[in-house]
Amino acid sequence: MSTLEIEVENCENTGRILKMNASGYTRPVDFIRAIVAEDNNTGKWAGRVITRFPPEPNGYLHIGHAKSICLNFSIAAENKGGRCHLRFDDTNPCKEELEYVESIMADVRWLGWDWGEHLYYASDYFKQMYEYAVQLIKKHKAYVCDLTGEQIREYRGTLTKPGKNSPYRDRSIEENLDLFERMKAGEFADGARTLRAKIDMASANLNMRDPVMYRILHATHHRTGDKWCIYPMYDWAHGIEDSVEGITHSICTLEFENHRPLYDWFLDQLDVHHPRQIEFARLNLSYTVMSKRKLGQLVRQGLVNGWDDPRMPTISGMRRRGYSPAAIREFCSRIGVNKFNSTVDIALLEHCVRKDLNKHSPRVMAVLRPLKIVFDNYPEDKVEQLDAINNPEDPSAGSRQVPFSRELYIERDDFMEEPPKKFYRLAPGREVRLRYAYFITCKEVVKNADGQITELHCTYDPATRGGDAPDGRKVKSTLHWVSAAGALSAEVRLYDHLFTKENPDDVAEGKDFISNLNPDSLQVLDNCRVEPSLAGAEPLSRYQFERLGYFCVDPDSTAGRLIFNRTVTLRDTWAKIQKA
């Protein structure tokens, strides 16, 4: 670090700095990393960098949490000897479940991060927090209050009007100690009393107006059982947890900026290790809600199929949809870290997904809306094997063989009986190429009694095996296909944005975000056809269906019933022409 100079470039507006080396080369670095680098330069923490990711286990993690996970774990990884703790803020037994704890750990590991031996829970420190609270009582810095929740809000005042002191604010140390001990012993009903910090009811910062430190909750905790019936509030617990664990940089989202003075006050009054709290803007994503409360509402009302529904922005939902950990990490790196709130276009996330899946996904052929083709000049009992490339981006992936026979399926959208200009796919009398196979020409269209096309009769040119004509003639379109011989039946679930508006909270008066749900966010296609190489495909395996998009094997899939989720589409030139 001694060879580098750090020059701040309007951090408040951009959240970025320039990192300059001796040759004058500069590259952007986010403002949090600049703070960490400066602390390392000055020896503020003796060279230590210890961060933490502190989720509350009351729901499943979403893409916004992924940004925080990647930020905290990567900063620790970038600094020699650095580490990042995984800590569960399990201070509310009414909302927390072991299911959420397990899912959070699985999500963090899936993203590629590991906390090693540094797994902690807020409940690990309940005894320490209680003892610290007693210290504040003894210093006249905390008191037991009998006001109800509604009365506390009334006494608190407003942004333009100072609050007023609780009538219980001046209780003696002895009385407060006695009442607090009795609260802990379970003598009082839920909500009967609270422990509050004694700070300043006239403070311009409402968070400093004698905030509640403890409330009474007679509820069974998922780890401590019924040992405790008083539980710490987040603002009280947060700083103590950081302090006890020796955290150096406590990285939070921007809504905690106004809470920082309280964080600092508690630690200063206790005279304990005092980490630096740093705030950054949370992730907002178009066509998406990030509130765990709203996501939970979607689950409870059955508007989605659970927390891992592939339409959900949860990490488990994205995993099930087919997103890769590398794509999510790349997205989090690209969006950077700022001090101002903004909304990121979901197209950027989809771009990162396409970029990663393009490199690593095997190519296969699948037909979602089958239209049968019969080759009148192909032997009825013949099946030949054609070579197909597994991944043109990865030569080491090799090739596979796909069967070709007298009958096969193409996409119904790849044929038009009366094609308009610029439609170059199959039509009566037109010649096209079948991927890896032959040139074919449509000779006859067969329809049912309702006038619907049921099959096409075509001829193939055996001299064009592999897709090239010896006489040099060209065709304007190449189609994917699946041979009827060995074809597997599959269900395909086509997912789109869960909401119709970029901002789901943009609603008419009297409506809520649910009114913007997209009724076409899921389309299920039965009787699709996929090539036989997909037999036995493992759940969560990712593929590119040629010309269609990227797809993932759903965990509901069985040996007798393949199910694929569409992860993201490919660019469709014809669709663009139709819109023009």
Side-chain angles (χ1 to χ4, degrees):
M1 297 300 297
S2 61
T3 61
L4 300 174
E5 295 178 1
I6 298 174
E7 177 185 333
V8 177
E9 186 192 62
N10 196 4
C11 284
E12 287 302 316
N13 293 325
T14 67
R16 290 181 176 257
I17 65 163
L18 295 179
K19 205 170 191 179
M20 183 175 292
N21 59 25
S23 65
Y25 171 75
T26 61
R27 62 184 178 89
V29 177
D30 67 70
F31 75 99
I32 296 180
R33 285 176 169 84
I35 291 171
V36 173
E38 181 64 18
D39 287 348
N40 284 340
N41 282 339
T42 61
K44 180 175 181 179
W45 306 109
R48 292 178 296 117
V49 175
I50 306 175
T51 60
R52 84 286 180 272
F53 174 62
E56 184 178 358
N58 62 353
Y60 282 65
L61 299 183
H62 55 61
I63 186 67
H65 294 110
K67 176 180 178 180
S68 180
I69 292 168
C70 291
L71 177 62
N72 279 283
F73 276 92
S74 63
I75 285 177
E78 290 161 11
N79 290 271
K80 185 177 180 180
R83 67 175 189 260
C84 181
H85 297 179
L86 176 61
R87 180 209 305 145
F88 289 99
D89 176 37
D90 56 343
T91 56
N92 188 349
C94 298
K95 294 183 178 181
E96 294 151 6
E97 297 180 20
L98 184 60
E99 171 193 353
Y100 299 137
V101 172
E102 293 173 345
S103 74
I104 288 170
M105 289 194 287
D107 287 346
V108 174
R109 284 198 177 101
W110 180 76
L111 282 172
W113 304 108
D114 189 5
W115 52 88
E117 62 184 0
H118 298 287
L119 173 63
Y120 303 104
Y121 295 81
S123 53
D124 292 337
Y125 313 121
F126 280 175
K127 183 174 183 293
Q128 179 72 75
M129 292 176 193
Y130 179 83
E131 292 172 353
Y132 278 149
V134 169
Q135 286 185 31
L136 292 191
I137 292 173
K138 290 180 178 179
K139 294 173 67 175
H140 279 290
K141 297 296 183 181
Y143 63 96
V144 174
C145 182
D146 296 359
L147 294 178
T148 65
E150 183 178 349
Q151 290 172 326
I152 288 175
R153 286 188 290 274
E154 291 174 359
Y155 275 60
R156 192 183 190 195
T158 66
L159 289 171
T160 58
K161 180 182 176 181
K164 59 182 180 179
N165 289 346
S166 164
Y168 309 100
R169 196 174 196 264
D170 295 322
R171 276 174 164 157
S172 68
I173 291 175
E174 291 74 22
E175 185 180 7
N176 281 317
L177 288 174
D178 174 65
L179 288 172
F180 191 45
E181 174 62 32
R182 290 162 65 190
M183 285 171 61
K184 175 177 175 288
E187 187 173 327
F188 307 117
D190 289 2
R193 288 185 163 91
T194 59
L195 183 72
R196 299 175 65 183
K198 187 186 291 188
I199 307 179
D200 181 6
M201 289 302 294
S203 173
N205 186 336
L206 269 65
N207 295 304
M208 301 296 283
R209 295 183 184 178
D210 290 11
V212 173
M213 297 167 58
Y214 275 92
R215 77 281 205 204
I216 301 173
L217 283 174
H218 291 272
T220 301
H221 190 278
H222 73 100
R223 293 188 74 238
T224 61
D226 297 321
K227 182 177 180 180
W228 295 89
C229 61
I230 56 171
Y231 289 94
M233 302 299 288
Y234 181 78
D235 280 331
W236 167 242
H238 175 205
I240 292 175
E241 295 156 7
D242 286 347
S243 179
V244 171
E245 292 176 18
I247 301 301
T248 57
H249 301 87
S250 180
I251 303 170
C252 309
T253 44
L254 208 55
E255 62 265 30
F256 291 101
E257 187 172 30
N258 289 334
H259 294 250
R260 192 197 324 146
L262 182 56
Y263 178 96
D264 292 337
W265 187 89
F266 280 135
L267 296 180
D268 288 343
Q269 296 303 317
L270 294 171
D271 192 24
V272 293
H273 170 71
H274 191 151
R276 178 171 182 175
Q277 179 174 305
I278 309 168
E279 305 86 15
F280 70 98
R282 63 184 297 170
L283 171 62
N284 295 304
L285 199 62
S286 63
Y287 297 100
T288 309
V289 293
M290 293 294 197
S291 161
K292 277 199 288 186
R293 177 184 61 81
K294 292 179 179 178
L295 295 176
Q297 182 179 345
L298 294 174
V299 173
R300 288 191 301 275
Q301 294 184 10
L303 300 171
V304 294
N305 299 317
W307 286 97
D308 67 343
D309 187 306
R311 294 167 291 182
M312 292 278 274
T314 54
I315 295 175
S316 57
M318 291 181 171
R319 177 168 60 243
R320 185 172 183 176
R321 185 161 177 166
Y323 284 28
S324 67
I328 295 176
R329 293 196 304 268
E330 170 68 13
F331 170 72
C332 292
S333 175
R334 283 196 175 214
I335 60 177
V337 182
N338 296 302
K339 288 283 285 185
F340 55 88
N341 288 315
S342 61
T343 299
V344 177
D345 194 329
I346 197 171
L348 177 58
L349 174 59
E350 292 172 346
H351 167 77
C352 293
V353 172
R354 283 191 189 94
K355 181 180 177 182
D356 183 68
L357 296 185
N358 182 54
K359 291 180 180 177
H360 302 110
S361 298
R363 274 54 168 173
V364 295
M365 291 193 289
V367 174
L368 305 189
R369 299 170 178 87
L371 176 59
K372 185 177 180 181
I373 285 183
V374 178
F375 295 111
D376 294 329
N377 64 333
Y378 196 91
E380 288 189 16
D381 298 329
K382 181 179 179 181
V383 176
E384 60 183 310
Q385 300 294 326
L386 304 177
D387 289 330
I389 298 171
N390 286 330
N391 188 345
E393 301 292 322
D394 180 13
S396 67
S399 62
R400 68 191 186 284
Q401 290 196 318
V402 293
F404 184 88
S405 59
R406 177 182 172 86
E407 296 183 0
L408 55 76
Y409 301 99
I410 65 168
E411 291 290 346
R412 190 165 290 274
D413 291 344
D414 281 340
F415 176 80
M416 293 187 75
E417 190 172 14
E418 297 179 0
K421 291 182 178 180
K422 296 187 178 180
F423 182 88
Y424 299 119
R425 305 173 199 177
L426 192 60
R430 180 176 295 172
E431 187 174 53
V432 299
R433 176 190 294 108
L434 293 183
R435 179 80 159 149
Y436 306 119
Y438 300 97
F439 285 14
I440 68 169
T441 303
C442 178
K443 297 296 186 179
E444 181 186 354
V445 179
V446 180
K447 299 180 181 180
N448 61 17
D450 296 325
Q452 296 176 328
I453 299 173
T454 57
E455 67 180 49
L456 305 176
H457 283 255
C458 300
T459 58
Y460 86 110
D461 182 352
T464 60
R465 179 183 168 118
D468 293 311
D471 59 9
R473 72 183 188 275
K474 304 294 183 183
V475 293
K476 290 187 176 181
S477 187
T478 300
L479 309 183
H480 66 278
W481 52 276
V482 172
S483 172
L488 304 175
S489 179
E491 175 184 308
V492 175
R493 300 168 180 174
L494 304 179
Y495 292 100
D496 202 345
H497 299 317
L498 187 56
F499 295 94
T500 58
K501 288 189 176 181
E502 288 189 19
N503 177 10
D505 290 318
D506 179 13
V507 295
E509 186 175 351
K511 300 287 186 179
D512 65 8
F513 74 104
I514 288 177
S515 65
N516 284 326
L517 280 172
N518 180 6
D520 299 318
S521 62
L522 171 59
Q523 182 181 7
V524 179
L525 302 179
D526 291 313
N527 205 33
C528 303
R529 295 289 188 269
V530 299
E531 65 176 66
S533 70
L534 288 169
E538 293 292 327
L540 301 182
S541 299
R542 307 180 192 96
Y543 300 91
Q544 184 196 99
F545 287 2
E546 296 207 32
R547 297 180 62 236
L548 296 176
Y550 295 96
F551 292 77
C552 178
V553 182
D554 190 86
D556 290 344
S557 200
T558 65
R561 182 62 171 171
L562 286 170
I563 302 174
F564 292 90
N565 299 324
R566 184 172 67 187
T567 307
V568 67
T569 60
L570 296 175
R571 292 175 179 81
D572 189 338
T573 304
W574 172 239
K576 291 181 180 179
I577 291 173
Q578 285 183 311
K579 290 180 180 179

